[in-house]
Amino acid sequence: GMPKPPPLELAPRRRSRQIRVGDVPVGGDAPVTVQSMTTTVTADVGSTLRQIAELTAAGCQIVRVACPSQDDADALATIARQSPIPVIADIHFQPRYVFAAIAAGCGAVRVNPGNIKQFDDKVAEIARAAADAGVPIRIGVNAGSLDKRLLRKYGRATPEALVESALWECSLFEEHGFRDIKISVKHNDPVVMVSAYRMLAERCDYPLHLGVTEAGPAFQGTIKSAVAFGALLAEGIGDTIRVSLSAPPVEEVKVGLQILEALNLRERGLEIVSCPSCGRAQVDVYKMAEEVTAALDGMNVPLRVAVMGCVVNGPGEAREADLGVASGNGKGQIFVEGRVVRTVAEPQIPETLIEEALKLAKQRGHE
Ligand code: SF4
């Protein structure tokens, strides 16, 4: 067939400086990465590493772990050494854990200026330790823990307040010549969040970590994150993303990857093009799409599979996809790379699609 045209993108990327979180570049021309955060007690090294392995298998590229106690700080060295992806230590309140995280070999350290007391005195030391170790710092401003001074000044966590807090914190590090920084300014309201990141994008060249904080349970959080990240990434803003859900972190990774794939910021993996069904459908489209998705989910191969309910759009979509079915009259025409390869009875449609998908994946050099 025809060579595939390069994927269309919505906007050129904002020009940001590049940092490295462990071996993962963030910012500049590096692909936008997906990160998540463990929910285990960090000091429980076995459980934490197991969860990191699950996240990595799901496609997570950077993982953050909470560090609220000395036991957690003590566990960082083992976790950082054994994790297959860079580990970011998330630190509030305790500057000494920042030093522990740097010494432990973490890929980066996240600090929250609003939450670290007497932080100012410690900045010089932190900047020196981080610079010596080549460890970047994430300045993580959060609406829920905004600096009291800025809360008084603005009355609430406005976009201006979030941005001022972040840039003020950056300036403390800049005074010591430290610029190995990425920034987040999170808010639970996508509209405030988008405004804050737009403003921040204009006012600095640091790479940006996107997040809608406390986005909610899976359904609401997925939509809030997709809308907010979509708006920003469509303007070229954002270098790494974290979807926050009140759900297992693997779900966050799946949502994050799908957002990037939807925007062509990442090669699409399995893509099911299925119709919504309507009064013309001659097969159970939902059931068929679900069966095919379940069988192929996790298959690490870019494959577009069309599952269509009737002959109106069926043959057209099935022909455009790598693989597809156009159903009608109790039968399905199975298309592979644009040609009908066989016609099977309705009950055999899902298994035939799955069989052909696996064949195609193998041909294309994937397992
Ligand atoms: Fe309806 Fe057919 Fe379109 Fe599916 S493909 S939505 S069944 S017209």
Side-chain angles (χ1 to χ4, degrees), residues 275-282 285 308-314:
C275 79
S277 188
C278 74
R280 286 184 209 92
Q282 295 175 346
V285 177
M308 304 292 290
C310 80
V311 293
V312 173
N313 295 318

Side-chain angles (χ1 to χ4, degrees), residues 26-41:
V26 174
D29 58 0
V32 180
T33 44
V34 169
Q35 43 181 297
S36 183
M37 189 165 177
T38 52
T39 55
T40 52
V41 171

Side-chain angles (χ1 to χ4, degrees), residues 86-109:
V87 173
I88 300 181
D90 192 77
I91 296 172
H92 299 256
F93 307 114
Q94 296 279 13
R96 70 193 151 100
Y97 299 159
V98 176
F99 299 108
I102 292 169
C106 286
V109 180

Side-chain angles (χ1 to χ4, degrees), residues 149-163:
R149 180 176 61 85
L150 291 167
L151 214 46
R152 272 196 302 276
K153 178 172 170 189
Y154 289 96
R156 66 202 155 85
T158 60
E160 292 80 5
L162 295 169
V163 170

Side-chain angles (χ1 to χ4, degrees), residues 234-299:
E235 296 169 15
I237 298 171
D239 301 285
T240 182
I241 63 173
R242 192 267 172 117
V243 174
S244 304
L245 301 177
S246 305
V250 164
E251 299 305 312
E252 300 183 345
V253 172
K254 287 186 184 168
V255 172
L257 294 171
Q258 284 283 319
I259 291 172
L260 296 184
E261 288 180 19
L263 291 163
N264 273 348
L265 292 173
R266 189 187 149 87
E267 186 180 40
R268 291 186 187 168
L270 177 68
E271 190 180 359
I272 305 287
V273 181
S274 59
C275 79
S277 188
C278 74
R280 286 184 209 92
Q282 295 175 346
V283 292
D284 187 341
V285 177
Y286 301 169
K287 188 161 157 270
M288 208 178 274
E290 240 162 58
E291 277 181 40
V292 173
T293 306
L296 302 180
D297 195 25
M299 200 171 71

Side-chain angles (χ1 to χ4, degrees), residues 79-142:
I79 294 169
R81 192 167 55 243
Q82 292 187 23
S83 169
I85 54 178
V87 173
I88 300 181
D90 192 77
I91 296 172
H92 299 256
F93 307 114
Q94 296 279 13
R96 70 193 151 100
Y97 299 159
V98 176
F99 299 108
I102 292 169
C106 286
V109 180
R110 181 273 173 111
V111 297
N112 181 340
N115 268 357
I116 295 195
K117 313 219 185 311
Q118 282 119 32
F119 192 76
D120 313 44
D121 319 336
K122 290 280 175 204
V123 172
E125 270 178 80
I126 292 175
R128 193 175 327 113
D132 288 351
V135 171
I137 299 283
R138 163 147 79 93
I139 307 288
V141 175
N142 201 311

